[in-house]
Amino acid sequence: MYLSSASTEKPAPGTYPDDLLASFAPRLIAWQREHGRHDLPWQNTRDPYRIWLSEIMLQQTQVSTVIPYYARFLERFPTVEALAAAPIDDVMALWAGLGYYSRARNLYRCAQVVAQEHGGRFPSTVEGLADLPGIGRSTAAAIASFAFGARATILDGNVKRVLARVFGVEGFPGEKRVENAMWTLAESLVPGADASDADVSAYTQGLMDLGATLCTRGKPDCERCPFAGDCVAKTTGRQRQLPAARPKKAVPTRRTWMLVLLLDGDAVMLEKRPPMGIWGGLWSLPEAAGEAALADRALMFGASAKAAPLASLTHTFTHFKLDIEPRMIELERKGAALAANEAETVWVSLREIDAYGVPAPVRKLLDGLRGSLI
DNA sequence: AAATCGGGGCA
DNA sequence: TGCCCAGATTT
């Protein structure tokens, strides 16, 4: 069974044991049928719309969280045409709570492209699917294999972990060279032309289930794993070393100046941030790239007093550290302060900050300020 | 606090 | 074509 491969490219001969390469798919399929998941709401269908919807939701969220959202979406939008015809506000409302809203917008755009440019039918090839908004190579392969029986491989974070461990793939999978090698390996493992559509589905689902239920990041359950006897990580005790961690990189530090306009010792001015970029759409303190620029902004708000420094704080993002230099000006009387300003601003009592979406470090700063005023 | 994640967008 | 990002959760 499955001795032939769907891919044209293969790992260099001798890189991995031939018997493991050849037996991987049938063993995974057998394991999936016996121990994998079979009753998830998006299984047991070949409707590409349902499969697509589940895959997009699962890109970013755990199964248990997705289930109720998935049910509500299907009830409100039973078909891709229904989704495409809905006002985007309805879509965003149903998505609310799942986070990653740019992906909800891509979901909607994708539905419109499918409805308007593909006659309401999803493309059946990986390439066609991957051209759609929000669908990359891995998600395209998931949809193509589940809905159309395509012999295409997924390669998400779970699969990278499984391959790195079982085959002993060295190097950080986020690195292009390593990722390419994994794609080649993954494609060479896909069941061949003699596999049925059901085999293909079980294989793809098996990759997902193995990574999600046994070959987890923290404490893999190697005793139950069908590949324990061959797994490089297991046989060498390197489960924690594979896959290799992202190389440590010194994160750059950026610095920003924030203006605390304190009115009558109670309210501060917040400014709505632009929808894109850091803290998009949240309410934050007026900001500037330097001391002088901040003073200019204060003048525009009608505050001419000298700004007093507050304790600086740093906030760590994935890609950089942000050093925040707060400067405070205390004002009395409302009215005049808002005059010359066109940005979207609001005065908020320090006691009511929690009612606004405020970035965590700014909230911390304002909480500290409130504490010091009592 | 640190690590993680698939796709989009830009150099 | 490849690198880095935003935004959110998990460990």
Side-chain angles (χ1 to χ4, degrees):
Chain A
M1 297 208 322
Y2 320 131
L3 292 179
S4 56
S5 162
S7 75
T8 52
E9 212 173 333
K10 294 194 171 197
T15 309
Y16 308 108
D18 286 340
D19 53 345
L20 180 55
L21 291 174
S23 67
F24 186 85
R27 290 161 75 187
L28 182 64
I29 290 169
W31 175 83
Q32 204 282 330
R33 295 213 160 108
E34 183 76 12
H35 298 107
R37 300 174 292 190
H38 301 94
D39 299 312
L40 299 172
W42 42 87
Q43 292 182 296
N44 313 309
T45 179
R46 302 199 60 173
D47 179 355
Y49 170 67
R50 293 177 171 234
I51 293 163
W52 164 72
L53 181 61
S54 72
E55 289 300 328
I56 299 300
M57 289 182 166
L58 290 165
Q59 276 176 5
Q60 61 203 36
T61 313
Q62 296 194 132
V63 164
S64 58
T65 306
V66 163
I67 286 173
Y69 282 88
Y70 178 77
R72 284 195 290 270
F73 253 81
L74 273 190
E75 187 173 352
R76 171 70 178 77
F77 311 117
T79 64
V80 69
E81 288 93 344
L83 178 55
I88 188 164
D89 287 350
D90 289 12
V91 179
M92 300 309 287
L94 265 191
W95 193 272
L98 274 179
Y100 299 94
Y101 296 97
S102 69
R103 292 186 180 170
R105 282 186 281 274
N106 280 338
L107 181 92
Y108 182 66
R109 282 175 53 214
C110 181
Q112 299 206 303
V113 171
V114 170
Q116 292 164 16
E117 296 176 23
H118 294 86
R121 297 172 52 168
F122 279 83
S124 59
T125 64
V126 171
E127 295 75 19
L129 287 162
D131 277 342
L132 296 167
I135 302 181
R137 183 174 173 183
S138 185
T139 300
I143 299 168
S145 67
F146 286 133
F148 305 111
R151 291 187 300 281
T153 190
I154 58 171
L155 187 68
D156 62 10
N158 283 333
V159 179
K160 285 176 180 172
R161 190 170 54 249
V162 169
L163 296 184
R165 285 176 173 163
V166 173
F167 292 90
V169 180
E170 305 287 345
F172 171 55
E175 192 188 322
K176 197 67 189 166
R177 205 190 77 253
V178 178
E179 194 184 15
N180 288 342
M182 286 188 163
W183 275 112
T184 302
L185 171 59
E187 291 191 330
S188 79
L189 296 171
V190 172
D194 49 346
S196 68
D197 287 3
D199 290 336
V200 168
S201 286
Y203 177 81
T204 301
Q205 190 67 49
L207 281 180
M208 295 176 170
D209 291 355
L210 193 68
T213 66
L214 289 191
C215 198
T216 57
R217 187 157 71 95
K219 39 173 179 40
D221 190 354
C222 299
E223 302 313 313
R224 301 186 134 80
C225 178
F227 301 111
D230 305 274
C231 177
V232 170
K234 160 74 171 160
T235 56
T236 64
R238 291 201 297 148
Q239 291 98 324
R240 301 205 60 141
Q241 279 65 52
L242 292 171
R246 171 188 297 275
K248 300 278 183 197
K249 210 170 47 176
V251 291
T253 299
R254 298 184 201 165
R255 181 169 294 183
T256 188
W257 282 257
M258 290 190 179
L259 181 61
V260 181
L261 286 180
L262 182 64
L263 187 65
D264 295 332
D266 170 65
V268 293
M269 178 182 286
L270 298 184
E271 185 175 60
K272 188 157 195 166
R273 300 182 61 91
M276 305 302 288
I278 293 275
W279 300 330
L282 296 183
W283 292 90
S284 187
L285 293 166
E287 221 175 296
E291 196 95 50
L294 196 71
D296 288 348
R297 296 212 62 192
L299 274 177
M300 288 179 50
F301 288 122
S304 54
K306 180 163 172 51
L310 299 177
S312 64
L313 62 158
T314 53
H315 184 71
T316 305
F317 291 87
T318 304
H319 305 288
F320 62 96
K321 280 198 173 101
L322 185 64
D323 176 24
I324 300 172
E325 297 289 347
R327 298 289 183 267
M328 181 162 76
I329 301 178
E330 301 197 52
L331 302 169
E332 293 172 6
R333 296 194 327 274
K334 211 158 178 172
L338 269 172
N341 176 47
E342 291 185 11
E344 203 173 350
T345 58
V346 62
W347 288 103
V348 180
S349 165
L350 287 173
R351 288 159 305 167
E352 294 166 350
I353 291 293
D354 289 352
Y356 288 74
V358 176
V362 177
R363 174 162 306 193
K364 190 172 140 191
L365 191 166
L366 295 176
D367 279 351
L369 179 62
R370 182 177 59 165
S372 72
L373 291 173
I374 293 173

